[in-house]
Amino acid sequence: ERNSKYYNYTLSVNGKAQKHGADYSKDYLTDVLANMSLDFLQYKSSYQPFFMMVSTPAPHSPWTAAPQYQDSFNDTRAPRDPNFNVHGKDKHWLIRQAKTPMTNSSVEFLDDAFRKRWRTLLSVDDLVERVVKRLEVRGELDNTYIFFTSDNGYHTGQFSLPLDKRQLYEFDIKVPLMVRGPNIKPNQTSQMLVANVDLGPTILDIAGYNVNKTQMDGMSFLPVMEGKLNSSSWRTDILVEYEGEGSNVSDPACPLLGPGVTECFPDCVCEDSYNNTYACVRTVAPSVNLQYCEFDDNEVFVEVYNVTADPYQLTNIAKTIDQEVLERMNHRLMMLQSCSGQSCRTPGVYDTRYKFDPRQMFTGHSWRLSRLRQTMK
């Protein structure tokens, strides 16, 4: 965010500072990264395997588009999904504090941000095209895997939160992931759950390294992409965690809010707070599509969504759902928070691996367990 710049920045190139100004042809960061990537492909050894990672600032703020793209998407606006500009009445207090309906100026602001972000991505499209073409010209495309993903989701108006990330809902936790490469059939989509922790093991697997020799929590999804795996041997749950950020002093623009919150813009709607700290289990299996979340706050607030029946997460069913399901999800969350390495990778092993005394289990919340782990580190 604050460190994303498209012009007037300094890069560290092999430890040497390289200053850039504001000339589009020489300094626009997305294009500079594209040129550096093409140079790398040009001058690397042709006989050795290679790994290249390119991270663009786009589409982070300040959303500076390349000059030729500044008028694209002029009629585009943020999606008006069923959760757009509605009050999250049964949600965590941070969501409930959003002003509903949003002011016209907030809606204009988020629509404008949405357009600007799309415009910055047109230069990312150019980068991808140039890299793929260079690999093709060099005869390397057919034996190279290309992963396309991003760092986090983003919202624009859902539950009347103008724009940011940091929330537990699908629109903030889902990220795109597309892969092409040897033995991957085109135009296929997998419903199996993959998380950021799986990228490392997958890349090691492609390089021929045995992931079981590592202490990584993730799993290689190479067999998933190659169609060599049935879903029963893959996980059905992933862990989603976030630690809230806040400010120790009140925002001068929003004095009524007091300290502890942050990102209160526009209209003094805060996007984050110290106790916006949560852990969730996201479950996707043939018969269930659930999300269970606990907040680390005074009330240990719980949110639960049946994503099959309620894909836009309008209704928190924590108070109406069967107690047994809640306890099972809470148990699952404890397992995912306390596993490490191999014990995270083996589906279904958790319940036998950990011998909790059930009488103690639900008196102490998962948070107590994670606190314990932090003190042990």
Side-chain angles (χ1 to χ4, degrees):
E1 300 291 283
R2 298 179 184 85
N3 56 3
S4 300
K5 286 185 165 183
Y6 294 73
Y7 294 111
N8 298 315
Y9 53 86
T10 303
L11 295 180
S12 170
V13 181
N14 294 326
K16 289 203 176 71
Q18 185 187 91
K19 273 196 151 64
H20 282 266
D23 176 342
Y24 170 70
S25 62
K26 295 202 298 275
D27 301 312
Y28 187 66
L29 183 50
T30 312
D31 294 355
V32 169
L33 293 174
N35 293 334
M36 290 170 101
S37 306
L38 297 177
D39 281 352
F40 173 80
L41 292 175
Q42 194 66 34
Y43 297 115
K44 70 176 179 58
S45 152
S46 294
Y47 307 106
Q48 295 250 296
F50 73 95
F51 173 82
M52 176 170 84
M53 177 168 160
V54 190
S55 301
T56 66
H60 278 103
S61 66
W63 313 307
T64 313
Q68 68 271 30
Y69 295 135
Q70 275 166 356
D71 292 322
S72 308
F73 300 115
N74 275 342
D75 300 324
T76 303
R77 55 180 207 163
R80 292 333 195 229
D81 287 334
N83 52 15
F84 181 83
N85 207 5
V86 301
H87 189 241
K89 57 186 183 308
D90 51 13
K91 300 189 167 25
H92 191 234
W93 73 269
L94 187 68
I95 311 297
R96 297 198 304 268
Q97 56 89 38
K99 298 178 173 66
T100 310
M102 292 180 287
T103 60
N104 287 349
S105 60
S106 275
V107 174
E108 279 168 25
F109 182 80
L110 69 87
D111 276 336
D112 183 51
F114 189 79
R115 282 188 284 276
K116 286 177 171 164
R117 293 172 76 234
W118 273 54
R119 288 170 189 145
T120 67
L121 287 174
L122 290 171
S123 294
V124 179
D125 279 354
D126 293 339
L127 178 158
V128 171
E129 182 180 22
R130 291 172 67 196
V131 167
V132 172
K133 284 201 162 136
R134 176 63 56 88
L135 288 168
E136 194 170 30
V137 166
R138 290 176 56 87
E140 293 179 327
L141 186 59
D142 290 344
N143 65 349
T144 302
Y145 290 89
I146 299 175
F147 290 74
F148 186 87
T149 186
S150 79
D151 63 347
N152 52 260
Y154 204 73
H155 57 256
T156 42
Q158 292 91 331
F159 301 129
S160 303
L161 296 165
L163 74 169
D164 202 52
K165 43 204 171 184
R166 309 163 199 265
Q167 312 310 340
L168 56 85
Y169 309 103
E170 289 286 275
F171 46 75
D172 280 4
I173 65 173
K174 278 177 82 167
V175 296
L177 174 62
M178 290 176 272
V179 188
R180 61 165 291 167
N183 302 322
I184 301 177
K185 291 194 180 71
N187 301 321
Q188 55 167 338
T189 306
S190 171
Q191 295 303 316
M192 293 188 220
L193 275 180
V194 167
N196 288 3
V197 289
D198 300 326
L199 289 167
T202 304
I203 290 160
L204 285 181
D205 193 9
I206 286 169
Y209 190 83
N210 182 351
V211 181
N212 290 327
K213 289 182 177 167
T214 74
Q215 278 304 303
M216 298 171 105
D217 294 347
M219 294 162 46
S220 166
F221 54 87
L222 182 60
V224 174
M225 297 190 291
E226 293 180 332
K228 289 181 177 165
L229 198 76
N230 66 7
S231 55
S232 61
S233 53
W234 193 255
R235 67 161 79 90
T236 53
D237 313 276
I238 53 169
L239 177 65
V240 177
E241 290 181 299
Y242 178 64
E243 193 159 326
E245 296 176 335
S247 168
N248 289 326
V249 292
S250 287
D251 183 337
C254 310
L256 296 175
L257 297 172
V261 291
T262 186
E263 310 300 321
C264 302
F265 177 83
D267 285 327
C268 290
V269 173
C270 300
E271 297 281 354
D272 209 358
S273 66
Y274 284 129
N275 70 359
N276 182 38
T277 295
Y278 53 81
C280 308
V281 183
R282 186 71 183 84
T283 301
V284 178
S287 55
V288 278
N289 189 350
L290 263 188
Q291 184 172 15
Y292 168 90
C293 299
E294 288 177 10
F295 280 86
D296 184 17
D297 59 9
N298 296 341
E299 46 182 346
V300 191
F301 194 80
V302 176
E303 293 191 28
V304 183
Y305 298 96
N306 174 352
V307 186
T308 310
D310 180 19
Y312 295 101
Q313 296 169 300
L314 297 166
T315 309
N316 175 12
I317 56 173
K319 292 200 166 58
T320 55
I321 196 168
D322 185 16
Q323 189 62 31
E324 195 187 333
V325 176
L326 282 182
E327 289 186 357
R328 224 175 24 241
M329 298 299 276
N330 167 278
H331 185 218
R332 199 80 191 90
L333 182 56
M334 283 169 134
M335 297 307 174
L336 287 168
Q337 284 190 306
S338 59
C339 73
S340 94
Q342 185 61 45
S343 64
C344 299
R345 293 200 291 266
T346 319
V349 83
Y350 309 89
D351 300 331
T352 54
R353 175 76 47 116
Y354 295 94
K355 293 287 184 235
F356 278 111
D357 178 345
R359 283 165 311 192
Q360 293 174 338
M361 204 170 74
F362 299 113
T363 52
H365 250 280
S366 324
W367 289 109
R368 208 162 293 167
L369 193 73
S370 59
R371 289 278 182 275
L372 192 69
R373 283 177 61 216
Q374 281 163 4
T375 53
M376 282 160 65
K377 271 178 190 162

